[in-house]
């Protein structure tokens, strides 16, 4: 039987809805012992596909609106901490950074 907290849609605190998208994006774009990191674009597409079901569509729209900024911050962090970014992602970052 599924366990329900009784919270749904806007009854879930906004901070939790935002954290949910951020947490999944971070998990998908990070190496884990059981999987390689996904590219930022692949992670974004996965989150976009779950808008309205797993994620608040308004939060996903805000995430999409600031996606280039998010990737640039992620790249800046990776440049200071190169072990934090997989080698398969730099071409996407380069395209976003030059736009």
């Amino acid at each position: 039987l599924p366990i329900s907290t009784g919270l749904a849609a806007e009854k879930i605190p906004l901070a939790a809805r935002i954290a949910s998208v951020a947490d999944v994006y971070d998990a998908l774009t990070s190496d884990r012992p059981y999987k390689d990191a996904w590219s930022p674009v692949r992670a974004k597409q996965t989150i976009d596909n779950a808008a309205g079901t797993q994620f608040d569509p308004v939060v996903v729209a805000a995430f999409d609106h600031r996606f280039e900024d998010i990737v640039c911050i992620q790249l800046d962090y990776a440049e200071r901490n190169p072990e934090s970014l997989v080698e398969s992602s730099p071409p996407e970052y380069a395209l976003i950074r030059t736009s």
Side-chain angles (χ1 to χ4, degrees):
L1 295 172
I3 298 174
S4 174
T5 62
L7 298 179
E10 281 84 36
K11 290 185 180 184
I12 298 170
L14 178 59
R17 290 180 272 147
I18 293 168
S20 174
V21 172
D23 181 57
V24 169
Y25 178 78
D26 177 63
L28 293 175
T29 59
S30 299
D31 279 327
R32 299 288 190 223
Y34 51 86
K35 72 162 198 64
D36 291 334
W38 290 12
S39 74
V41 171
R42 181 178 177 198
K44 178 186 174 302
Q45 290 168 338
T46 299
I47 290 168
D48 288 347
N49 290 340
T53 56
Q54 183 178 352
F55 303 116
D56 180 336
V58 173
V59 173
V60 172
F63 169 79
D64 288 347
H65 181 73
R66 299 309 298 253
F67 182 68
E68 288 184 11
D69 296 324
I70 292 165
V71 174
C72 286
I73 291 167
Q74 194 176 16
L75 175 61
D76 289 342
Y77 176 81
E79 287 175 348
R80 284 176 274 148
N81 303 287
E83 70 282 353
S84 70
L85 187 65
V86 297
E87 293 299 317
S88 62
S89 295
E92 285 178 348
Y93 290 131
L95 287 173
I96 290 172
R97 255 189 136 187
T98 58
S99 59

